[in-house]
């Protein structure tokens, strides 16, 4: 742990030519004399109110992550994160980034503020977890199982809460850890060797994460519409088969968020009207329910007559 006090100079967004200096006191019981100084200019993420800002900063010959908290609400989250890092300290460097220091003080305007210094474990994927290799999915799922084995779980399974550096990965969201008495009869079911488990074998948390990873299609049956994956349960349970979706999707479909949502509603309507995998049924639906207009242009194939 870095237990010296901390001073940081921030290049303030959206005014990159302006600097703000913060002086934070270490929460360690006996902080050694002197202080650590860092110049920070790389912003990784932030809220619109800038009460939570995440930076990457050089410290000696390495980089660290600085999570800045400003304001009463944000400081409550910092204290919860600090509490969980201490409670689950044995999993630092295994499941979660190592906590290097906790600091508290005030912002330039006199508002209560603080920050966490964390090991830099990389960045979230640009794509989706479901597109990872089966081997890496298995490793991620096994680490989720470790949490359940030890009586806790992540309350948020957001894909952005997993960061990667090469083949190494860690989970973020430490403040959202909750105690969890796992009800899975056999949560050590192996992804590659055992195939999809029975429906009642895994608790809801493990099933949810299996869904995010798309490790068992039989456990979480799904279809793809545009570039998005939809589980054929709950809200989307009326979606037709993938074969029908493929036949109803226009050639050259422009895959944007708005277009995909409109196309999903169109497919849902096909499912509700009982379209089955027969060309006559599909043609009847097309005639009775024309394809909707899309905000982004749909490029249709051109047929030339010679």
């Amino acid at each position: 742990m870095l237990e010296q006090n901390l001073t940081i100079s921030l290049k303030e967004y959206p005014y990159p030519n302006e600097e703000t200096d913060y002086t934070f006191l270490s929460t360690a019981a006996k902080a050694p004399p002197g202080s650590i100084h860092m110049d920070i200019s790389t912003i990784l993420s932030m809220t619109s109110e800038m009460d939570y800002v995440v930076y990457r900063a050089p410290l000696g010959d390495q980089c660290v992550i600085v999570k800045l908290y400003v304001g009463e609400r944000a400081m409550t989250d910092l204290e919860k994160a600090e509490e969980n890092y201490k409670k689950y300290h044995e999993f630092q460097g295994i499941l979660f980034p190592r906590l290097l220091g906790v600091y508290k003080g005030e912002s330039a305007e006199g508002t209560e503020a603080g920050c966490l210094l964390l090991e830099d474990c990389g960045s979230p994927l640009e794509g989706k977890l479901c597109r990872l290799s089966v081997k890496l999915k298995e490793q991620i799922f096994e680490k989720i199982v470790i949490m359940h084995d030890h009586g806790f779980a992540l309350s948020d399974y957001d894909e952005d809460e997993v960061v990667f550096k090469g083949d190494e990965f860690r989970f973020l969201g430490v403040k959202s850890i909750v105690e969890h008495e796992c009800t899975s009869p056999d949560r050590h079911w192996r992804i590659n060797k055992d195939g999809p488990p029975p429906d009642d074998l895994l608790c809801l948390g493990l099933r949810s994460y299996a869904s995010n990873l798309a490790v068992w299609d039989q456990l979480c049956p799904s279809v793809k519409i545009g570039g998005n994956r939809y589980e054929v349960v709950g809200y989307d349970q009326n979606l037709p088969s993938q074969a029908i979706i493929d036949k109803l999707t226009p050639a050259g479909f422009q895959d944007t968020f708005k277009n995909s949502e409109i196309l999903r509603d169109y497919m849902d309507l096909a499912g509700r009207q009982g379209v089955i995998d027969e060309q006559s049924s599909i043609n009847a639906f097309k005639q009775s329910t024309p394809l909707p207009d899309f905000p982004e242009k749909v490029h249709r194939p051109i047929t030339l007559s010679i």
Side-chain angles (χ1 to χ4, degrees):
M1 290 282 286
L2 302 173
E3 296 182 345
Q4 289 178 294
N5 295 328
L6 174 70
T7 60
I8 56 179
S9 296
L10 299 178
K11 300 282 188 180
E12 290 291 358
Y13 179 91
Y15 309 108
N17 295 323
E18 295 185 12
E19 288 191 5
T20 299
D21 292 331
Y22 289 81
T23 299
F24 293 117
L25 301 180
S26 170
T27 61
K30 293 182 178 180
S35 64
I36 304 166
H37 180 86
M38 290 190 297
D39 292 309
I40 302 176
S41 59
T42 304
I43 297 176
L44 300 181
S45 65
M46 63 182 176
T47 58
S48 57
E49 296 84 7
M50 290 195 67
D51 47 355
Y52 302 85
V53 189
V54 181
Y55 302 89
R56 178 173 281 124
L59 181 62
D61 59 355
Q62 62 180 340
C63 282
V64 296
I65 298 299
V66 180
K67 297 187 73 173
L68 180 65
Y69 301 76
V70 180
E72 183 178 352
R73 183 185 65 174
M75 287 300 292
T76 299
D77 286 344
L78 180 148
E79 290 166 3
K80 180 62 176 177
E82 180 183 12
E83 176 187 330
N84 282 342
Y85 266 111
K86 290 178 179 177
K87 184 175 181 179
Y88 302 103
H89 65 90
E90 64 194 279
F91 300 103
Q92 292 185 36
I94 301 172
L95 301 178
F96 312 115
R98 289 183 176 87
L99 178 65
L100 305 178
V102 183
Y103 303 89
K104 296 179 182 179
E106 292 183 344
S107 70
E109 293 77 24
T111 305
E112 184 181 15
C115 70
L116 300 180
L117 252 60
L118 299 168
E119 174 189 16
D120 184 1
C121 295
S123 303
L125 287 178
E126 293 183 1
K128 298 287 187 180
L129 290 179
C130 63
R131 297 175 184 170
L132 295 174
S133 67
V134 173
K135 180 180 178 181
L136 196 49
K137 288 180 182 181
E138 186 173 41
Q139 293 172 356
I140 292 172
F141 192 76
E142 285 175 351
K143 289 195 174 184
I144 292 291
V145 168
I146 290 174
M147 299 183 202
H148 287 234
D149 282 345
H150 289 82
F152 67 95
L154 297 175
S155 62
D156 186 356
Y157 290 102
D158 193 327
E159 291 183 321
D160 291 338
E161 296 295 310
V162 189
V163 291
F164 293 80
K165 183 182 286 186
D167 289 335
E168 291 290 317
F169 61 90
R170 297 288 184 270
F171 297 94
L172 306 180
V174 172
K175 76 173 181 60
S176 67
I177 290 176
V178 293
E179 293 184 359
H180 174 69
E181 185 175 345
C182 192
T183 58
S184 304
D186 183 5
R187 50 187 172 270
H188 292 275
W189 197 273
R190 295 165 298 177
I191 290 175
N192 283 330
K193 298 178 181 179
D194 293 341
D199 288 349
D200 59 353
L201 188 67
L202 300 178
C203 72
L204 181 60
L206 290 179
R207 288 175 62 83
S208 296
Y209 216 84
S211 171
N212 276 1
L213 290 170
V215 292
W216 299 300
D217 287 342
Q218 293 174 10
L219 173 65
C220 307
S222 64
V223 292
K224 288 193 71 174
I225 300 175
N228 298 315
R229 176 178 173 271
Y230 298 87
E231 291 179 27
V232 192
V233 295
Y235 177 71
D236 294 312
Q237 64 184 346
N238 294 303
L239 290 173
S241 69
Q242 188 67 59
I244 293 174
I245 289 171
D246 291 342
K247 290 177 181 178
L248 290 176
T249 300
F253 176 73
Q254 189 72 33
D255 182 19
T256 66
F257 176 78
K258 287 183 178 180
N259 284 1
S260 292
E261 287 300 294
I262 291 172
L263 188 61
R264 193 215 70 85
D265 290 342
Y266 184 70
M267 299 303 174
D268 181 74
L269 188 58
R272 290 177 185 276
Q273 292 192 12
V275 178
I276 58 177
D277 199 6
E278 294 179 5
Q279 195 60 46
S280 59
S281 177
I282 293 173
N283 288 340
F285 175 72
K286 284 182 175 180
Q287 292 174 4
S288 64
T289 313
L291 195 69
D293 293 327
F294 296 97
E296 299 291 338
K297 183 178 180 182
V298 177
H299 302 287
R300 300 182 182 278
I302 300 174
T303 301
L304 297 179
S305 299
I306 300 176

